[in-house]
Amino acid sequence: MGYRLQGKTALITGSTSNIGRGVALAYARESAHVVVSGRSAERGAQVVEEIRAAGGRADFVAADLDGSAAASQALADDARAVLGGQVDILVNNAGIFPAQGTLATDEATFDRVFAVNVKAPFFLTAALVPGMVEAGGGAVINLGSWAVRQGLPQGVAYSASKGSLETLTRAWSAEFGPRGVRVNAISPGVVLDIDPEEAGSHPAGVMMKGTPYGSTGTPDAIGQAAVYLGSDESSFVHGTVLDVDGGRTTVAVIAA
């Protein structure tokens, strides 16, 4: 066990699988008390059991973040109760990705994407930041996407929603930073929770061809970045979007 997050508590939304699970495991390894959150109690229990078996501290809180202020407030209240009153770090990870283009996206789908990906973290952050301020400080970490900076013909509403969340990152940094709450974001590349040897043949793997890394990333890679942004090591980091994408958005590899 490490100690980079010792004494800190963390709520990680959508942490029953993939990136969220990777963040939860990484936080627990660094001695944070973690609230695993999501819709599936079964998968949540598995993550909690994995953390506890490794000597970490974790509890599961069920939540269906539908974008309503009430659902976000309920999760904030339940997390604080489990953690003994205080959430030091909030990781806004939960999100949905309908793959449709614009013409195939109906109004109900569009509204749900923005409800889950933007409204839910908006009201959850609003519910938890006052407690962080009162406690003397805290950190909010949002999960953006490489799709924000590269136009894609699919998942158009998703890309727009993640762009909104990255904009909120900067606005919240300006709003809450002077009060002791650091706000930053991580922009992951294509991340899969599978055996790295299988990543090359996965349909999503093609999107990481031509990058310096050359393949899909792992949830743990995002988890390590989240540890940095949640720890005191990043005390001078405010309002940034950290690209953890294998070079997907910044580098083109030219074949010789």
Side-chain angles (χ1 to χ4, degrees):
M1 299 289 288
Y3 302 98
R4 296 165 69 190
L5 298 175
Q6 187 172 32
K8 295 185 183 296
T9 60
L11 167 60
I12 302 155
T13 67
S15 48
T16 60
S17 63
N18 205 26
I19 288 176
R21 173 178 170 274
V23 174
L25 295 176
Y27 269 44
R29 286 197 303 268
E30 295 296 338
S31 300
H33 184 176
V34 174
V35 167
V36 176
S37 178
R39 290 177 295 177
S40 172
E42 180 180 359
R43 292 193 302 179
Q46 291 171 352
V47 178
V48 168
E49 182 180 356
E50 186 175 359
I51 288 172
R52 291 178 177 175
R57 298 179 68 195
D59 294 278
F60 174 72
V61 173
D64 184 2
L65 294 174
D66 59 7
S68 67
S72 291
Q73 185 66 56
L75 175 56
D77 292 342
D78 290 345
R80 280 191 291 248
V82 165
L83 295 171
Q86 177 56 28
V87 175
D88 299 313
I89 305 168
L90 167 63
V91 181
N92 285 313
N93 167 73
I96 58 174
F97 176 73
Q100 297 102 318
T102 300
L103 303 184
T105 301
D106 59 26
E107 184 176 7
T109 300
F110 184 93
D111 288 345
R112 176 158 172 74
V113 169
F114 271 79
V116 175
N117 294 3
V118 182
K119 284 184 65 180
F122 183 95
F123 288 113
L124 185 57
T125 299
L128 290 174
V129 161
M132 294 179 184
V133 172
E134 185 177 351
V140 176
I141 303 167
N142 298 320
L143 268 293
S145 173
W146 65 278
V148 171
R149 282 177 293 286
Q150 292 198 335
L152 300 175
Q154 294 182 321
V156 175
Y158 168 86
S159 297
S161 71
K162 289 298 183 178
S164 296
L165 195 56
E166 291 190 8
T167 296
L168 282 172
T169 297
R170 293 182 283 271
W172 284 339
S173 182
E175 184 177 7
F176 303 133
R179 302 170 67 186
V181 178
R182 293 186 304 105
V183 185
N184 292 287
I186 298 171
S187 177
V190 181
V191 173
L192 298 175
D193 192 8
I194 62 175
D195 188 319
E197 294 184 0
E198 300 176 11
S201 60
H202 192 280
V206 69
M207 291 187 285
M208 292 300 291
K209 299 297 184 182
T211 66
Y213 191 73
S215 183
T216 57
T218 65
D220 187 61
I222 310 304
Q224 293 302 319
V227 166
Y228 168 67
L229 290 177
S231 73
D232 295 337
E233 299 164 14
S234 60
S235 61
F236 199 46
V237 182
H238 290 255
T240 194
V241 178
L242 178 60
D243 292 322
V244 187
D245 63 2
R248 184 68 179 82
T249 58
T250 57
V251 182
V253 175
I254 307 299

